Every structure is written in C-alpha cells, then in structure tokens.
Amino acid sequence: MKRLLYITALIATTFSAEAQINEFGLIAGGANYVGDVGPTNYIKPKDMALGVYYRWNRSPRHSWRAAFNYGRISSDDADSDVSGRKLRGYQFKNTIKELSLGLEFNFFDFNLHEEHFKWTPYIYTGLAYAWYNELYRDTSKNKGRDYDNGSSLAIPMTVGIKAHVARDWIIGLESGVRYSFTDNLDGSNPPDNKYDAVRFGNTNSNDWYVFTAFTISYTFGDKPCYCSD
C-alpha cells in the first residue's frame, strides 16, 4: 500500500507540473458477487468495499483514472431463489484486491474552471487486475476453503454520478460491474486438477463481482485551459 501511494503521488506531481487538474479520492461502500452460488442479483452490495483513486481531468468530458480497491465477497445458496442451489446449500467467502486503469466519460460538460455547483452522470471502463484466494469446496462442511493465491484480469463497467460541491471537492455515487477472467472466485472450479471431484456449477461461465460505493475527491494543481493550441 505504501508503494502504491508513493506511485500515485509521483504521478500526481508529474501531471500537476503540466498544468492539469488532478483529483485524489476515496471510495467507501459495498461489494457483491454474481456466479454459481447464491442469489443472482447484479447490484446488491452486502460486504465491505474500500478504495483510493486518482483522476487526471483531460477535458470537461473525459478523464484518465487509476484506482486500487479492496473488497470482500460472499454468497450462500440458502439465500437463492433457485431450488437446486438451495438444496446444494454451499457457501463461501473471499477477498479481492484490484488495480484498475481506464477512461471516464462525462455525459455533461464538467468544466472545473467554473466554480459553481455542477453535476454529471458518467461511465468508466478500462482494464483491471485482481488478486483473490483460490478456493475449493470442502464437502465435509459444504463451504469454500482457500488453498492458494490467485489472480486474474477483469473488465470494469461502471456507471455513476458526481457533483462539484465546493471549490476543491467532488462527491459521487457509482456502481461498477467487473467481468472476471476466472470461474473460481467462489470455489466452484479450482484450476488445480486434484480438486476435479468437487467442481460444480457452470464451468463455461466466469464469475462477476461488483463494487457500489460513495466517492469523495480533492482537486489540486493548476486548472487546465481545455482549449486547442
């Protein structure tokens, strides 16, 4: 985490020297998972999610963004409406650490030259890299048990709304679905062949995880001119 904060500060210092508006912010909210276990609601935050992010506002309509997020995910077949899942009765817990980079697009002009109140919906996408625990199904307790560390790429697809509420402060609310390139956030499809006997679910469909959170950021650096040379 110290190394991440140092790199973020270095990037921010570099861009500030180029007369751009920078933001450093915090994310706090909830996380949920969608896959072969439990309910199938795409947005239903139930576990903790926290993060930090940096925005470089390249124009009133788009920004480059880097973020580090930490979230817990869990699910229980007992909470599902699917009878087969209820009968299976499996449950798991996992944690996800994620680093993402991408582009944020504002639907309305979000010109930080103008210090009065303004707001805009936005979308964000890019590429993420996630770290998590590899799980397998412990049939004696019918729960997920971790046996190794795993990692995977993921594609974030985020929608949100943000408002410039004071000269240097921006607040927002967003929900971001991540399509991961793994099918084992839940322990249903361990990559280790020795767990072949305890695999279950749809092995042709990867897992998803979702972060839904409030955001608050502080702007700093000289204001960009947002004009052509």
Side-chain angles (χ1 to χ4, degrees):
M1 179 60 78
K2 290 182 178 178
R3 181 177 297 178
L4 176 67
L5 292 176
Y6 171 77
I7 293 173
T8 302
L10 182 61
I11 293 172
T13 302
T14 301
F15 284 133
S16 180
E18 295 180 1
Q20 300 293 340
I21 275 290
N22 308 278
E23 292 178 49
F24 184 79
L26 301 176
I27 298 169
N32 67 282
Y33 139 97
V34 185
D36 294 308
V37 180
T40 55
N41 308 81
Y42 270 89
I43 301 177
K44 191 177 181 180
K46 62 187 294 287
D47 297 298
M48 179 193 71
L50 299 170
V52 295
Y53 65 92
Y54 167 77
R55 276 195 194 111
W56 176 36
N57 293 287
R58 186 65 183 86
S59 81
R61 284 299 183 101
H62 78 282
S63 307
W64 294 102
R65 171 169 159 176
F68 178 80
N69 298 310
Y70 171 87
R72 296 174 181 169
I73 58 171
S74 64
S75 200
D76 191 331
D77 280 336
D79 299 325
S80 176
D81 295 328
V82 180
S83 58
R85 294 190 180 190
K86 279 185 175 293
L87 183 63
R88 182 177 60 202
Y90 174 78
Q91 58 183 282
F92 79 95
K93 294 180 180 180
N94 211 335
T95 59
I96 295 177
K97 297 181 284 290
E98 174 200 81
L99 180 64
S100 69
L101 300 169
L103 180 67
E104 187 173 292
F105 174 79
N106 301 322
F107 284 92
F108 306 152
D109 278 353
F110 203 66
N111 192 335
L112 295 176
H113 278 299
E114 303 166 354
E115 295 183 359
H116 61 268
F117 175 85
K118 65 184 72 67
W119 68 278
T120 183
Y122 64 88
I123 56 174
Y124 166 79
T125 190
L127 191 64
Y129 193 79
W131 298 264
Y132 52 89
N133 296 318
E134 294 284 12
L135 307 177
Y136 71 94
R137 183 181 182 182
D138 182 348
T139 54
S140 64
K141 297 182 178 180
N142 211 13
K143 294 182 178 180
R145 183 181 297 276
D146 64 279
Y147 70 92
D148 200 359
N149 296 318
S151 61
S152 170
L153 291 173
I155 299 175
M157 293 167 278
T158 299
V159 295
I161 186 170
K162 61 185 176 182
H164 191 196
V165 296
R167 183 177 184 275
D168 297 320
W169 294 95
I170 296 172
I171 60 172
L173 174 65
E174 66 178 34
S175 186
V177 177
R178 276 75 166 173
Y179 172 78
S180 74
F181 287 82
T182 178
D183 187 31
N184 199 47
L185 296 178
D186 51 16
S188 65
N189 192 17
D192 193 320
N193 291 334
K194 71 180 180 180
Y195 297 112
D196 284 353
V198 292
R199 288 182 175 145
F200 64 91
N202 183 358
T203 58
N204 295 316
S205 177
N206 290 340
D207 296 329
W208 302 69
Y209 61 97
V210 186
F211 290 150
T212 303
F214 292 99
T215 66
I216 183 169
S217 61
Y218 176 77
T219 65
F220 60 97
D222 295 332
K223 287 182 169 56
C225 71
Y226 292 159
C227 56
S228 58
D229 295 333

